[in-house]
Amino acid sequence: MAAPRVLGGGRGSALGPGHRAVSTARALADRLTPQELQVVRLAAEGRSSREVAALLFLSRRTVEHHLFKAYPKLGIRSRTKLARLDLD
């Protein structure tokens, strides 16, 4: 008897090769607080901490704190990696 097929896994999955990465990024985003998610999405668009702070009426240091707390939850270490995640 064949093993059951896991949806979203690997290149041969029924959902395509990129589906697992996208769903994983979304699952990781679920670990963030609403404020962290808001900050992360704006930073992922390429906005600076100062720009994010102005848009959300926060201090630059608060934005950087939210990013500091969000990076380990997302399994990343930089804004460059952040820009590659699909968090929508």
Side-chain angles (χ1 to χ4, degrees):
M1 174 153 69
R5 194 169 176 176
V6 177
L7 290 180
R11 283 188 251 183
S13 80
L15 299 176
H19 184 268
R20 184 174 184 182
V22 170
S23 63
T24 301
R26 288 185 186 142
L28 290 173
D30 288 341
R31 296 179 181 181
L32 303 177
T33 66
Q35 187 81 57
E36 288 169 347
L37 184 57
Q38 216 175 10
V39 168
V40 162
R41 283 186 172 149
L42 291 170
E45 292 174 1
R47 298 179 191 269
S48 69
S49 294
R50 184 171 285 156
E51 291 171 326
V52 174
L55 287 169
L56 300 178
F57 303 100
L58 301 171
S59 74
R60 177 190 53 81
R61 289 196 59 187
T62 300
V63 168
E64 291 172 355
H65 176 75
H66 285 308
L67 291 172
F68 175 79
K69 298 299 278 184
Y71 286 173
K73 294 177 184 181
L74 296 172
I76 60 172
R77 295 184 182 178
S78 69
R79 284 186 189 231
T80 305
K81 302 274 186 185
L82 183 62
R84 296 179 188 161
L85 293 177
D86 178 17
L87 299 170
D88 292 324

